[in-house]
Amino acid sequence: MAAPLVTLGIDLGTTSVKAAVVEAAPGDPSGFVVLASCVRAARAEAAAQSAAAGPQAREQDVSRIIQALNECLAALPRQQLRKVGGIGVSGQMHGVLFWKAGQGCEWTEGGAPPVFEPRAVSHLITWQDGRCNSGFLASLPQPESHLSVATGFGCATIFWLMKNSPEFLKSYDAAGTIHDYVVAMLCDLPRSLMSDQNAASWGYFNSQSQSWNLEILRASGFPVHLLPDIGEPATVAGRTSHAWFDIPKGTQVGVALGDLQASVYSCMAQRTDAVLNISTSVQLAASMPSGFQPVQTPDPAAPVAYFPYFNRTYLAVAASLNGGNVLATFVHMLVQWVADLGLEVEESTVYSRMIQAADQQRDTCLTITPTVLGERHLPDQLASVTRISSSDLSLGHVTRALCRGIVQNLHSMLPFQQLKEWGVERVVSSGSALSKNKVLKEEVQRAFPFPVSFGQDVDAAMGAALVMLQRNLSQKES
């Protein structure tokens, strides 16, 4: 009997680290089963290494992230790890850390399970970092890319360090995202290796030619020697140079993936699926038809961004800042009003009662534009309520209109008719705001012109494992 096909997926997120062990299961409808999984909080926030970075800086201690990763693997069953034949890694995009090639970590192989610990490594400067203000960004050269450069993007951060902390950069000769670093350490890579998914998230990367904007960057004195080599996603970066916990030495490790792409891969069963996630914020992603190429000029005002996916295709993504957080703001407002009247009520009670009221109110003429947080493409936009009549002022009317507004706002960013033209036939939806809100589910079903499935988990660790599993299955068949 052939050995089972088992892969490990790892996702190094902003607040937590997750690991999942997945096995091929041809008899299962999904084609795989999850053997084990584990999540650990990273708790890695750290003070900025450069005093000039100011209060907007957002950095993380790499040692704490790796500690959370080690805790995750230690919690997985040893017999499952022994079966692992491939490792997929994804993580938070845009961020950057630096290390000394060949000295980035140290392996401990005593009596305990073999692990690596960071050594000559900087902090991770994350995607949430705000040190590059609009004035600084305006001073940077225009990229030759379809994606704009924003604060928190790797290349923008390196430009800032070059101008404000040049001595800092002299200590290192390699750079990458946190997941690129983990892959480099596991495989003892001589140079940093990065997928086009993560390179595009850094800025100054042309996804059509699969190359960095070297001429533009060199002309500005950018330290181009720090830029990683580019590898195809879903290919192998290398093999583990040491046994790692119970995973054998010589196990294949994939080129690191972006967490967005890995998350979508975890639940997009067909290319004709669109993936909708409504949690704190909202994301709607669809796979673009083969051969599609975005215009190679950044447009900060465009509501849809195109990110490299797999096999040189793109994901179209509409990412709204206004989702479950808008409902939470509304609940908080109601609780505050009640308190102002000298009464007390729990937020959880308000939430369940307002959903109940909206469930009984099947329709409303009230229109709410829920953009209390603006949008990335319209940062100055605020929320508004229109078509107010005395008959539409009940809690049910307002809650129904608010849920509808969240979905309609997304529709204004990416018209659902456009999805039809791209060949989408089904929407796979997930997210905490959807799972506990019957009315929001109804509004999603009402708005989309195709079937909607609910309850699918969007899971980047699972996606990373499945990418490697699919690769190993394809190799086995060929």
Side-chain angles (χ1 to χ4, degrees):
M1 187 179 152
L5 281 163
V6 177
T7 55
L8 168 70
I10 293 163
D11 180 54
L12 303 149
T14 311
T15 56
S16 63
V17 173
K18 181 168 186 180
V21 182
V22 169
E23 181 177 6
D28 192 276
S30 63
F32 68 92
V33 289
V34 181
L35 299 178
S37 67
C38 178
V39 186
R40 287 288 182 273
R43 296 190 184 90
E45 285 68 29
Q49 288 179 305
S50 167
Q56 288 79 29
R58 292 293 179 274
E59 299 190 10
Q60 293 185 339
D61 184 332
V62 174
S63 297
R64 285 194 219 149
I65 297 171
I66 301 306
Q67 186 183 333
L69 174 61
N70 289 337
E71 286 172 9
C72 259
L73 265 77
L76 295 173
R78 297 181 65 175
Q79 70 272 22
Q80 308 292 16
L81 291 179
R82 288 189 194 109
K83 293 191 254 177
V84 167
I87 302 170
V89 186
S90 74
Q92 47 174 307
M93 295 157 74
H94 308 294
V96 58
L97 72 140
F98 306 89
W99 65 92
K100 260 192 179 322
Q103 300 170 48
C105 76
E106 195 176 301
W107 284 86
T108 58
E109 296 179 330
V115 296
F116 70 90
E117 290 172 1
R119 283 294 173 261
V121 176
S122 74
H123 281 169
L124 167 66
I125 302 172
T126 78
W127 61 277
Q128 294 174 312
D129 189 87
R131 71 187 69 192
C132 300
N133 60 29
S134 53
F136 179 80
L137 291 169
S139 74
L140 299 181
Q142 181 77 358
E144 188 192 299
S145 165
H146 70 284
L147 294 169
S148 305
V149 178
T151 186
F153 283 29
C155 283
T157 302
I158 294 173
F159 263 123
W160 188 94
L161 290 165
M162 182 182 103
K163 295 186 178 179
N164 294 279
S165 301
E167 290 305 309
F168 172 84
L169 288 176
K170 287 178 185 171
S171 311
Y172 305 104
D173 55 9
T177 63
I178 182 65
H179 30 309
D180 297 322
Y181 166 77
V182 167
V183 169
M185 297 307 105
L186 288 176
C187 303
D188 193 20
L189 298 180
R191 276 185 56 79
S192 178
L193 181 65
M194 187 182 248
S195 69
D196 60 350
Q197 297 175 356
N198 290 312
S201 83
W202 265 23
Y204 294 96
F205 180 79
N206 186 310
S207 52
Q208 221 166 322
S209 63
Q210 292 284 295
S211 60
W212 298 103
N213 298 170
L214 290 177
E215 284 183 25
I216 293 168
L217 293 170
R218 279 198 188 104
S220 298
F222 187 96
V224 294
H225 66 279
L226 290 172
L227 293 172
D229 294 338
I230 303 300
E232 193 91 27
T235 62
V236 170
R239 292 177 179 271
T240 51
S241 58
H242 295 71
W244 187 36
F245 287 86
D246 288 270
I247 301 167
K249 177 182 175 179
T251 300
Q252 290 186 339
V253 182
V255 176
L257 310 171
D259 56 358
L260 166 73
Q261 290 86 345
S263 295
V264 168
Y265 193 90
S266 72
C267 58
M268 189 186 275
Q270 308 289 335
R271 202 203 66 75
T272 51
D273 288 346
V275 176
L276 171 68
N277 181 56
I278 308 184
S279 297
T280 305
S281 54
V282 184
Q283 297 84 32
L284 177 61
S287 181
M288 295 301 292
S290 185
F292 167 84
Q293 285 294 341
V295 178
Q296 292 298 306
T297 314
D299 179 6
V304 176
Y306 300 97
F307 296 100
Y309 193 43
F310 294 97
N311 304 317
R312 300 287 168 92
T313 63
Y314 288 85
L315 275 181
V317 181
S320 168
L321 301 174
N322 300 277
N325 49 7
V326 172
L327 292 163
T329 302
F330 181 58
V331 170
H332 183 71
M333 180 190 83
L334 292 175
V335 169
Q336 194 59 57
W337 281 9
V338 170
D340 290 346
L341 294 169
L343 304 167
E344 267 186 48
V345 63
E346 291 288 324
E347 287 200 357
S348 56
T349 306
V350 171
Y351 190 86
S352 60
R353 291 281 171 84
M354 74 186 214
I355 299 302
Q356 233 171 350
D359 187 32
Q360 286 162 10
Q361 183 60 55
R362 308 305 296 172
D363 205 359
T364 183
C365 291
L366 197 64
T367 301
I368 299 180
T369 303
T371 44
V372 284
L373 297 165
E375 293 292 4
R376 286 189 182 92
H377 64 288
L378 293 169
D380 300 326
Q381 181 168 315
L382 297 172
S384 64
V385 184
T386 56
R387 301 183 69 196
I388 304 166
S389 75
S390 58
S391 59
D392 288 359
L393 293 176
S394 71
L395 182 60
H397 273 284
V398 176
T399 306
R400 172 70 64 179
L402 191 55
C403 290
R404 185 172 298 173
I406 289 169
V407 180
Q408 287 304 318
N409 178 53
L410 185 66
H411 177 68
S412 72
M413 294 171 68
L414 176 50
F416 305 148
Q417 192 56 38
Q418 179 71 73
L419 294 178
K420 231 175 183 174
E421 288 170 24
W422 290 340
V424 169
E425 294 172 3
R426 179 178 75 141
V427 175
V428 179
S429 65
S430 67
S432 53
L434 264 183
S435 62
K436 60 184 183 183
N437 187 333
K438 184 173 184 257
V439 178
L440 194 55
K441 277 184 182 175
E442 288 170 3
E443 291 302 329
V444 165
Q445 282 175 310
R446 188 198 300 244
F448 281 96
F450 10 69
V452 180
S453 76
F454 293 99
Q456 178 75 48
D457 277 340
V458 175
D459 188 321
M462 194 90 73
L466 291 174
V467 167
M468 284 303 284
L469 188 66
Q470 191 55 53
R471 186 186 183 283
N472 290 355
L473 281 168
S474 303
Q475 282 192 327
K476 198 179 177 191
E477 285 163 10
S478 58

